[in-house]
Amino acid sequence: MTRFAEIAHVYFLEEPIFDCPGQPFLQMEEKQENLWICVPHLPRGSSPEATVTMIGEILESFFEKRDCGNFIFWYYTPMALPFSETFKPAMTVYDCMDELSGFKFAPEGIRQNERQLLERADVVFTGGTSLYEAKKSSHNNIHPFPSSIDKAHFGTARGGQAEPQDQAAITGIKLGFYGVLDERLDQELIRDIATRRPDWHIVLIGPVVKIDPAELPQADNIHYMGPRSYQLLPAYLSGWDVALIPFLLNESTRFISPTKTPEYLAAGKPVVSSPIRDVVYPYEEIGLFSIANDADTFITAIEKELTHAADPHWMHAVDEFLSDKSWEHTFSAMVKLMMKVQKPERPVVPVTKLKNAS
């Protein structure tokens, strides 16, 4: 969205906060030039039906002095459709990043809303190849966009920058993961690796969501760092010996294309992953990642990958693979596809971003 903000006005609509004692209102904060974060504040205890009604009214107020026909409505979640379906934007984009219906506590009606959104969308993007394969028969203008990277940002991890103090205090071999700790995390795998290799330290960065924190594996060599900012991630990565993607194979991981996969590589870190389809193809297929299925194979793969960080041939292969991967490339390709469906009689000026904050 920062790239869209260079050519258009961007209004990024977040999930509501239920903290309003009186009338609902929309909090708007300009994060940078042409980019606003918009957060609805609603009364505590609002029902799902009332929430949809109130956000719809907030949007009506927003568009009182704006022509929605000059806007692109960009959906990250089908659950934004019920409160926005009465508007007629210049273009509708569905950026399908995950199969959200497969996630724990998925909202009721998400599949029906997605069917309706697919009927309205002018163009559909998917967050990976496997998701594209699953959705391609649902729309006649659908395109896969696997995870991309900010190479310059994550590449700073290769420069040996100082680790943050909380991680620097951990000595020995460090295996790292960052991301949401939820139902996708293979907790037993983490527990088994930590038990069998007490000389290895497992660093887990991210918020705990939808699972009981008390049930997470605990050991002296398992370190829960909590959430950390995007800006700090390269500093943490710089101190890891091997990066991990320790995911279960379930409905919530069936179609994912983890953004962290190219980010780990851009940081110059060897990676061991569960056999997620969009990780196996292409990363393992061309020899950039190791794939493992259980504690035995993870440990063996980690031992092998500990040698890759000093392998110039592996690093050259990584850089060759990443040479055409960037958010600039993704942005440019998306814009070209959008221009093909743009209605010439209604020029598009701003961009509205509707996002599921999860």
Side-chain angles (χ1 to χ4, degrees):
M1 287 299 99
T2 60
R3 289 164 178 82
F4 270 109
E6 294 175 1
I7 64 171
H9 299 305
V10 177
Y11 300 92
F12 195 102
L13 185 66
E14 284 282 1
E15 293 277 358
I17 296 177
F18 298 93
D19 64 349
C20 179
Q23 284 292 108
F25 68 94
L26 185 67
Q27 178 187 6
M28 296 180 61
E29 180 183 359
E30 189 169 8
K31 302 294 287 188
Q32 66 177 60
E33 187 176 2
N34 293 334
L35 174 57
W36 289 266
I37 301 297
C38 307
V39 183
H41 288 260
L42 308 181
R44 294 182 180 88
S46 298
S47 67
E49 295 78 11
T51 296
V52 168
T53 299
M54 286 185 286
I55 297 180
E57 291 172 349
I58 285 174
L59 284 182
E60 288 178 6
S61 177
F62 175 87
F63 282 114
E64 279 182 359
K65 297 181 180 180
R66 302 173 177 91
D67 180 3
C68 68
N70 287 335
F71 277 67
I72 295 170
F73 277 23
W74 182 300
Y75 291 81
Y76 264 137
T77 169
M79 299 310 293
L81 183 63
F83 56 73
S84 60
E85 61 185 349
T86 59
F87 298 94
K88 297 186 183 301
M91 185 187 305
T92 297
V93 177
Y94 178 27
D95 195 354
C96 182
M97 296 298 296
D98 287 299
E99 182 56 79
L100 296 177
S101 63
F103 281 59
K104 193 174 184 179
F105 306 128
E108 184 179 351
I110 190 168
R111 291 183 184 274
Q112 179 181 350
N113 285 335
E114 182 176 72
R115 285 193 293 269
Q116 295 175 359
L117 180 54
L118 286 166
E119 290 175 0
R120 297 167 65 100
D122 296 293
V123 60
V124 178
F125 305 133
T126 67
T129 304
S130 60
L131 193 56
Y132 166 78
E133 293 294 334
K135 302 282 187 183
K136 65 181 181 181
S137 63
S138 301
H139 200 275
N140 61 4
N141 190 20
I142 183 170
H143 308 272
F145 281 93
S147 301
S148 195
I149 46 168
D150 183 341
K151 281 185 286 191
H153 179 64
F154 288 95
T156 60
R158 300 189 187 188
Q161 60 178 296
E163 294 178 72
Q165 290 185 353
D166 54 356
Q167 183 174 281
I170 303 168
T171 59
I173 291 174
K174 297 170 191 173
L175 315 175
F177 167 87
Y178 63 71
V180 178
L181 307 182
D182 58 13
E183 74 269 25
R184 295 170 292 181
L185 183 70
D186 191 336
Q187 299 181 42
E188 290 305 312
L189 175 63
I190 297 295
R191 181 180 288 109
D192 288 348
I193 295 173
T195 299
R196 293 170 58 179
R197 292 304 302 262
D199 55 321
W200 291 352
H201 290 266
I202 301 174
V203 177
L204 302 169
I205 296 174
V208 179
V209 177
K210 295 188 289 184
I211 58 176
D212 185 355
E215 296 180 357
L216 290 170
Q218 302 293 327
D220 290 341
N221 60 333
I222 301 177
H223 309 270
Y224 297 99
M225 314 300 276
R228 292 295 183 269
S229 71
Y230 179 80
Q231 287 71 26
L232 284 176
L233 291 180
Y236 281 95
L237 273 164
S238 69
W240 298 355
D241 296 284
V242 174
L244 303 178
I245 304 179
F247 282 161
L248 292 164
L249 300 184
N250 56 29
E251 283 302 304
S252 63
T253 61
R254 184 179 176 189
F255 300 112
I256 64 171
S257 175
T259 304
K260 60 183 64 61
T261 47
E263 292 173 351
Y264 286 165
L265 290 179
K269 298 302 171 182
V271 185
V272 180
S273 173
S274 303
I276 304 299
R277 182 181 173 189
D278 281 11
V279 175
V280 174
Y281 307 101
Y283 297 95
E284 191 265 349
E285 186 180 39
I286 60 177
L288 300 183
F289 275 26
S290 285
I291 297 297
N293 298 285
D294 53 26
D296 286 335
T297 52
F298 255 86
I299 289 171
T300 299
I302 290 167
E303 290 173 339
K304 184 189 80 170
E305 291 295 342
L306 284 170
T307 68
H308 268 177
D311 181 355
H313 299 291
W314 175 79
M315 192 66 74
H316 177 73
V318 165
D319 291 337
E320 281 286 308
F321 175 77
L322 296 178
S323 62
D324 63 346
K325 310 293 189 299
S326 70
W327 287 119
E328 287 78 11
H329 180 271
T330 297
F331 168 72
S332 176
M334 284 181 167
V335 168
K336 288 178 182 177
L337 290 168
M338 292 163 65
M339 290 177 67
K340 290 181 179 180
V341 298
Q342 180 178 328
K343 301 175 180 63
E345 72 278 7
R346 307 190 79 172
V348 176
V349 178
V351 175
T352 296
K353 187 78 173 181
L354 301 176
K355 176 182 181 288
N356 180 30
S358 62

